[in-house]
Amino acid sequence: MGKSKTKRFGSIKPNPIGLVNGKIINEQEAQINDDQAANIPAALTNIIEKLQAPTSEERACGCQLMASIVSQPKAIGYLLRENVVKMTAPLFLDKCLDVRKSALGALRNMSVYGQADVSEVMIDHDVLTPLTALLQTYNNGWLPEKEASKYDTNVDVLIESLELLSNLCESNNSAVKRFNKENLLTTILPLLNVEVYGYQLCNSAARCLLVVSENNIEATTVCQKPDVVSSFLKIIESDPHGIDAVLLRTLITGILLNLPEVDLSLHYKGIIKAILQVLGMDSFSMIDAALQSSHLDSGENTLENELTWPEVDKLLTAQGVSLELLANMCCSDEEWEDVENSELSSDDQTMDMEEDSAESASEVLCLPSEIASAFLEENILSKILLKVSPLTEDQTSKLQESHCGKNTLKKLRDLQTRCLLCISNIVGAVDESLLSQSTPLSTMWTGLYQLLQISSATEDEDLRWALTSALRAVIQRMTDLQQTESVSSIQASDIDFMVGVAKATNNRETQINVIKILSTIGCMSSVTLSSLLQKIGAILLEVACHNEDIIVVSESLDSLFDVFKEDNTDGVAKEIGLVDQLVDLQASFKLRIKEKRGELGENFSIVMMAKSNLAGFIKYKLSKR
């Protein structure tokens, strides 16, 4: 019981402003003054009028105005209610290329700033029909024009369409199904030729393919063909020069790792070394250079500034993808199901906790030997831990003063979250030899706990979830390896702090992480019957009996069964009224399961196991009286 899922997570999204440079953004924002920002409906009226205007200049302006307001609170809600997506999507096929690019950029920004349900609404409003139609115009050996100008607008349009498609496919599986149905892979694969299409377009195509190739057998079947795999391997084995090449190699590496039938055993060492090279690149030096070129005091926009921030964006994207790849190497899609038969009767449930513990301790780590060996050789945990440290106040302040810096700040925080989830996955997957070589688990626990204290007031729910996930993984592994000396210093005040973290969030996963951390501490306390056992038992029982979330209740029950499984804890259980309160809870818990059954989804097995174990636990404890 109490096995935690390792975390798979999606790709980091590129800069939402896309191809629009800083000067244009500032001009657009100037058009939406403070009064309009406070009165979004008024700005919306202006946008709608321009989107439906007869001239291409006004239609493009309307799209650009929309792109610049979607980051404002409530703006997306207003836009969706006024069916602006339905007005904008047909402009993907406008005769004017500038209108196409602006329309794509506007909806791309909406997909970045909105949540997954925003992408769902966009798809419901049929954004995919004009988008796929546009992409199919680039079939049949399309080649970019060799112009002397800075950009080929056809290339810009294609880049924006690929970025929008990537965001939609990442958020919604119906977009992936449409991708397969329209056979868009035949459009995207040829674009991975850097010599013909250049890095910018090639990287957009690679990111799109990375997204759609995950758990998509139709796409991976094509990508696993020998000639395609050979072209991918050629890219990842190259020595990249420049950040564009680094980003491309990173994205192609991710695509290869998504291909289940491709044997990469001979390439894992090189892949992991290349990933760590990306993570080792100094993003802060590049950010400092970008800040210096921004001329914050004068508000000027120089060519140097326009070129430097995109470089920062590419590096942070490459580092985000690299962390994603490392984390996902440590988990598999088959790993999650703890419960083979969620309908087992209580008579079938054994309460032999010693057997459960033995199974947990002997659980075979599924990390392939080639990956484990590469992790060990590269001392991977220590290198990832270096990137967990939060930004200084000075760094944060400087980034907040710059428009582009604000986007960078968001990405840096996202990277910190990804580092923490990466640590969580790796700690649970590698063997003891790697853990003994890198930073000791006890030191890791102390550092992560201090970081949680520093970040306790944060409004970043993802960071709080990632921190508690990492702490949960570390303390569980310390227990598995019987490295519990440092945890013995945990005080009642530390328990109160963890409870406060759980109460401060509505995030279920964060709350469950805290429950499992307390459970692990409680299990250690049950051996010596320390004073913390009663406190933790009372907390878990309070959650089980009074929390409104049936999933959280189930996890709390699971933790109680772990903490109080041994007979020597019966005295403490009696002090907190454990068995009597669980008897009172049983009937209402069954009723809640019946009421919520249709809403449980993938959590159904967790709840049913808790129900069965509750009956078995009560029966066992009553028999001992």
Side-chain angles (χ1 to χ4, degrees), residues 451-495:
L451 183 56
L452 181 62
Q453 289 178 310
I454 294 171
S455 309
S456 59
T458 182
E459 296 180 359
D460 188 339
E461 291 288 354
D462 287 341
L463 177 60
R464 189 179 291 151
W465 166 61
L467 274 166
T468 54
S469 295
L471 283 166
R472 174 182 175 181
V474 170
I475 197 171
Q476 181 59 55
R477 200 66 201 278
M478 291 170 69
T479 304
D480 293 342
L481 300 175
Q482 298 182 340
Q483 299 178 7
T484 59
E485 295 81 4
S486 62
V487 184
S488 61
S489 63
I490 292 175
Q491 304 294 320
S493 58
D494 297 316
I495 303 301

Side-chain angles (χ1 to χ4, degrees), residues 210-438:
L210 175 62
V211 171
V212 299
S213 62
E214 184 172 351
N215 300 321
N216 180 2
I217 190 170
E218 292 189 44
T220 57
T221 298
V222 176
C223 292
Q224 286 168 172
K225 292 181 178 180
D227 58 329
V228 178
V229 172
S230 177
S231 66
F232 289 165
L233 289 173
K234 183 178 179 181
I235 293 173
I236 71 166
E237 291 171 353
S238 65
D239 184 16
H241 299 284
I243 189 58
D244 288 297
V246 168
L247 177 56
L248 178 61
R249 186 180 67 173
T250 305
L251 294 168
I252 296 297
T253 300
I255 296 168
L256 274 170
L257 291 171
N258 281 344
L259 306 181
E261 302 300 324
V262 176
D263 181 10
L264 294 174
S265 57
L266 298 178
H267 301 279
Y268 280 130
K269 183 177 179 179
I271 286 173
I272 292 169
K273 185 175 182 179
I275 287 173
L276 290 177
Q277 286 176 349
V278 176
L279 293 177
M281 296 178 71
D282 187 359
S283 58
F284 287 106
S285 294
M286 192 177 290
I287 291 168
D288 287 340
L291 287 169
Q292 291 173 11
S293 68
S294 292
H295 300 286
L296 296 176
D297 293 336
S298 63
E300 295 177 7
N301 287 278
T302 64
L303 177 60
E304 182 184 2
N305 183 27
E306 291 176 18
L307 293 178
T308 307
W309 283 113
E311 296 294 297
V312 171
D313 185 69
K314 291 169 188 173
L315 175 56
L316 295 182
T317 298
Q319 292 183 335
V321 173
S322 296
L323 288 166
E324 171 192 345
L325 301 183
L326 287 176
N328 291 348
M329 282 183 193
C330 299
C331 61
S332 66
D333 298 323
E334 292 77 26
E335 224 172 280
W336 310 139
E337 194 55 57
D338 252 332
V339 185
E340 294 183 3
N341 187 350
S342 59
E343 299 289 353
L344 292 176
S345 68
S346 61
D347 291 337
D348 294 327
Q349 298 296 320
T350 66
M351 294 306 296
D352 187 351
M353 299 302 180
E354 291 182 1
E355 182 179 337
D356 282 347
S357 298
E359 289 178 1
S360 176
S362 64
E363 187 174 294
V364 178
L365 298 174
C366 64
L367 199 63
S369 59
E370 298 87 0
I371 296 179
S373 175
F375 278 8
L376 182 63
E377 185 173 332
E378 296 293 338
N379 194 11
I380 195 167
L381 267 175
S382 297
K383 293 179 180 178
I384 296 174
L385 281 167
L386 293 174
K387 301 191 73 66
V388 173
S389 301
L391 297 174
T392 65
E393 290 185 9
D394 183 58
Q395 289 170 326
T396 301
S397 176
K398 287 180 179 179
L399 288 170
Q400 287 176 334
E401 293 174 1
S402 164
H403 176 86
C404 294
K406 291 177 182 177
N407 289 322
T408 298
L409 184 59
K410 182 179 179 181
K411 281 200 170 185
L412 287 170
R413 288 170 174 164
D414 181 83
L415 281 176
Q416 186 185 26
T417 297
R418 286 166 178 265
C419 284
L420 291 164
L421 293 179
C422 204
I423 291 169
S424 175
N425 284 10
I426 293 175
V427 163
V430 299
D431 61 27
E432 187 176 359
S433 60
L434 189 147
L435 294 173
S436 61
Q437 178 204 49
S438 61

Side-chain angles (χ1 to χ4, degrees), residues 62-82:
C63 293
Q64 291 165 3
L65 288 172
M66 181 169 66
S68 68
I69 72 164
V70 291
S71 63
Q72 297 180 24
K74 300 182 180 181
I76 291 179
Y78 281 109
L79 291 166
L80 294 178
R81 280 193 291 272
E82 294 296 327

